Each structure stands twice: as structure tokens, then as C-alpha cells.
Amino acid sequence: MEAIWKLGSRGVAEHPHLTEEIEVDVAIIGAGITGLTAALALAEAGQRVMVLEAATVGGGVTGGSTGNLYAMLASGQAPLRRKWGDEVAASVVRARTEAVDHIEATIERLGIECQFKRQPAYRLSTEDRQHARHDLNEELDALISAGLDAEMIEDAGLPFDSWGIRIAYQAQFNPLHYVEGLAGRLQSEGVVIVQHCPVREVDPDSGIVRTDEASVAAKHIVQATHTPKGINLVQAGMLVTREYAVSAKLRSGEYPEGIFWVLDPFHSLRSYRHGDQRYLMVIGEKHPLGHHQIEAYRNLREYLETHFDVESFAFQWSAQQYSSPDGLPYIGRMHGHDNLYMATGFAADGLIWGTLAGRIIADQILERDNPWHAHFGARRITPGKSALQYVKENVTVTKHMVKDYLGIEKLDTFDDIEPGQGRVATVDGEKLAIHRTETGELKTLSAVCPHMKCIVHWNPSESTWDCPCHGSRFDTDGEVIEGPAYHPLAPPEERQ
Ligand SMILES: Cc1cc2nc3c(=O)[nH]c(=O)nc-3n(C[C@H](O)[C@H](O)[C@H](O)COP(=O)(O)OP(=O)(O)OC[C@H]3O[C@@H](n4cnc5c(N)ncnc54)[C@H](O)[C@@H]3O)c2cc1C
């Protein structure tokens, strides 16, 4: 399932696979917006940088995002202000404003064609004005007090009754074309970007990054992998959710211009142009990973059809978010290792957090001051602000551990697994993830996630095995798609 951003994508030149050990100053794992922003800052400062990417440039969440660039948080500025107070809430907006400006300046400087455009953002209600007024007034106050140009409007110009807040001077672009542009520039500066090269192990003590082909020795290692690989403290309280997107061509009516967040329930709307063709997209139907909604795409199509004159549907895709327990991302040096860096906890706002993260990490490596590092440090501990989500997520993991291990059905025959279906079952005492392909072939893997031994769940919308505990996802051959797991699901005979 491809995102709309692939339209007009030029991809990135393939580098031959690694055959021998290489030494660099900085090894960056992951070629999303975080990794490539860091790589550019470091390469331009004269560091020898190598980027290792398991899939393709932008093929992670960056290329599955909505391409909205904004200074506030999608979950609301008021909750952030309530949790952290005025000063931090205003710093977040200042840091993120600077990051939007940085993206704009980079696009101009490097001549990247990615349809960057300044646009207003809207936070809208479709409910009775009396009912939602209180929440939106609090949000407006928080936005203005953080320095944003925001006002209440009675009509957002959508083809249905919607009113709320308009925030001036935010932006939109094509996120995939942007990171492909960064990668092109990096390659022209001599930076090696190896795609289709999953990293299988990081040993910070010896500074070694191991792939299936060869190892890379590096003074600094950046895990720009959306969530750190392997076992890390920050995974304990992290909420992992998936969200879905559908795009459509309209028969009649206007394509809305701007970032539209329609609350009650949350749907994000924006339009995009490729050549003469315009598209409208809707993003929503978020749910915790492992709790699948087979109807997610259907619900989004119905939402568009209810509110717009849809001619046909064009693309559908989904992507994953990691939300930190205290509402801010974890960026920078990791616990226990001064040469190891991470960036995670971006929730739905990570094109900007990723840009900030890339620059903060580059500044740490280059031993330069960065004004924003203090708020988002990866080593911070904030029990007062994190406790609720921390407890909730740990209860969820424990519940999955117990329920999934005890509740797995026993199977004596695979006959009733239909083509296209997957099922977790105990067979001869072994917990297996069993999938029958559309052509009838049976694929059997261990159902035990190699990250922390939770049991994976079948995701029928995307035909993947998803771990509900910490977000690892695997394809039907067991290979890691994303998340903290380094290694694929084992074949049955290799299970421990
Ligand atoms: C549906 C949805 C819409 C969103 N829309 C927006 C938006 O409009 N605006 C916004 O600001 N944010 C948005 N976000 C959030 C934002 O897209 C992400 O937070 C951001 O793109 C993360 O960038 P990243 O570079 O850190 O991660 P990624 O883009 O995921 O990059 C990480 C890379 O690491 C690679 N990798 C992983 N493991 C390995 C390994 N072992 N070896 C080598 N490589 C590896 C992956 O293949 C991947 O390419 C959205 C998120 C979702 C889910």
C-alpha cells in the first residue's frame, strides 16, 4: 500500500552493498527526516558520515506522514501548557517555528522540489458551538500565549459546518520528495547511503554497527530509527499507535487549502496536486498497535464520501506513531553511552521534531551549543508528568504478556485458515504465527517477538505480524518492517 507521495518520486541512487569493514566519524541508522537532517548538518561540518537504511530513503514513517509542518502540537497546545507550564509550552513553539523555517531555508538553498507552501492550520469543531466552546477557547489562549498568530473563526470554508481556530503561517510539503532531495545532496557531497541494509546489532562499547553484509566502525552512532532499536528504558511508557490515510479525486467542489484538523472525532484533511490532478486526503482512525480495525480504510472512505463529492479513491496507506508519557520527544545522547544517540516520542508531530532532533544530535556530536537540547534530552526522567501513561502502558504490556500467552488457541489442523488470513496458535506446544498466502502457500513462523518475547498479532488490514507491546512489525516472511526488534521472527525450528 503506497502513500500518495510516491507520485513523481525519483528515488535515490543505489549504493553497492557493503563488502568490507568501513570506518567513519558518524554512522546514522535510518534515512528518514531525522537521520538525513543530522547527516546533512554533520557532512556540511566536515564529518565522515555513512547512512544505513533497512528499506529505502523516506520509506519509514516520513514517507507515510501527512506532510504538514506546524509550530504547535496536533494533540493541542492547551494540554501541553497544562502539563509543562507557560515557559516550556512557549519554548516548544519557538523551537518548532525555527524548525519549519529551517526546512523552508534548506529547500530554497538546495533547490529541492517538494511543493513547500505556507498555509494556515485549522483546529475545528463540527459540534454545537455551546458544547465545544470552552475547550477551543482554552486552546486559543494557549496558542496565543505561546506566540502564535491565532484567531477564532465561525466558518472554515469546508463543505460542512465547521468552526474553530485558525493559526496563520504554518506550511505543507511532500515529505518524501524533501528527504529524497536531502539524500541527493548528501550523495553529491560524497556521503554513502546504503539502502536495503538492515542494521542487526549496535555495540556502543566498541563503536561497531553490524549489518548482514559488513560492519561499520564509528566514533558516534545515531539511531534515527523512529524508536531506538533493542531494549531501551524509554520504550516502557511509550504509547504505540497506527493511523490510516486515504486519498480521493473529487467530481465537484473545492479542494481545501490548508491543514485541517477536524475534532470530534479527529480527522486530518489536506489536498495535494500532482501535475493537473488534485487529490484530497483524510487521515484518522488511530488505534493502539495490535488492536486491528479491518474497517479503518472503509471508515475513512465513508467519511470522505459523506462530506465531499468523491469521484474515485486513489491511494491508501498507514503509519505508526510513538507518543512519550510526558508529551515531549526524547532526543540526544542515550543513557550509559556518550557515543550513542536516539530520537523518539514524536507522536503525530515528527516531521518537525525529526528536523529539530537531527540538528540537536549533530550539534551534540560537533560539541556545539543548541538552545533546545535541554527540554528534550533523552536522559530526562519526569515521573510527575509521565506517571499516568507509564503505568497504563506497562499494564497493557503485562496484560498482553499474560493474555496472549494463556489465550492462544490450540490447532490440530491448518485447513480452516483461509487464503490471505493469519492466525496465532499453539501447535504441538509451540506458539506459531501461521499465514496462508492468496495462492494457498502456508507460511509458519515463531509467534514470539524477538524484541521482548511478547506474542505478535495478525494485522488483517496490512497482512503483517504486529507486536502490541513495543511496536515491532514483521512481514509474512518474518522480516522486520519497523519497531525496536533487530531480528526477524524465527522459523519454528529455531525458537528457544
Ligand atoms: C499517519 C501519520 C501522519 C503523520 N503526519 C505528520 C505530519 O503531517 N506532520 C508531522 O510533523 N509529523 C507527522 N507524522 C509523524 C512523522 O511522520 C514522524 O514522526 C517522522 O516522520 C519520523 O521521522 P524519523 O526519521 O524519525 O523516522 P522514519 O521516517 O520512520 O525513519 C526511520 C528509518 O529508520 C529505518 N530503520 C529502522 N530500523 C532500521 C535498521 N535496523 N537498520 C537500518 N534502518 C532502519 C526505517 O526503515 C526508516 O526509514 C505522522 C505520523 C503518522 C503515523
Side-chain angles (χ1 to χ4, degrees), residues 28 103 126 157 182 198 208 266 300 319-320 324 338 381 429 441 459:
I28 294 181
I103 291 174
T126 53
L182 294 183
I208 296 291
F266 185 87
L300 290 178
Q320 193 150 304
S324 77
D338 281 348
I381 298 172
E441 186 197 344
N459 174 344

Side-chain angles (χ1 to χ4, degrees), residues 29-35 52-56 58-70 96 197-199 224-226 229 243-244 283 319-321 343 346-352 481 483 486:
I29 311 169
I33 199 162
T34 305
L52 301 162
E53 166 54 51
T56 52
V61 187
T62 298
S65 71
T66 318
N68 292 326
L69 306 169
Y70 43 87
R96 290 177 56 88
C197 182
V199 166
T225 44
H226 203 206
K229 304 302 276 191
E243 201 168 15
Y244 298 80
I283 292 86
Q320 193 150 304
Q321 297 173 14
F346 292 169
D349 312 307
L351 295 174
I352 293 305
I481 301 171
Y486 273 117

Side-chain angles (χ1 to χ4, degrees), residues 339-354:
N339 60 341
L340 192 57
Y341 306 78
M342 72 168 169
T344 192
F346 292 169
D349 312 307
L351 295 174
I352 293 305
W353 286 135

Side-chain angles (χ1 to χ4, degrees), residues 68-70 119-122 170-172 257-261 269:
N68 292 326
L69 306 169
Y70 43 87
Q119 294 277 25
Y122 298 87
Q170 306 306 309
Q172 288 177 322
E257 281 279 331
I259 300 170
F260 295 88
W261 292 328
L269 291 163

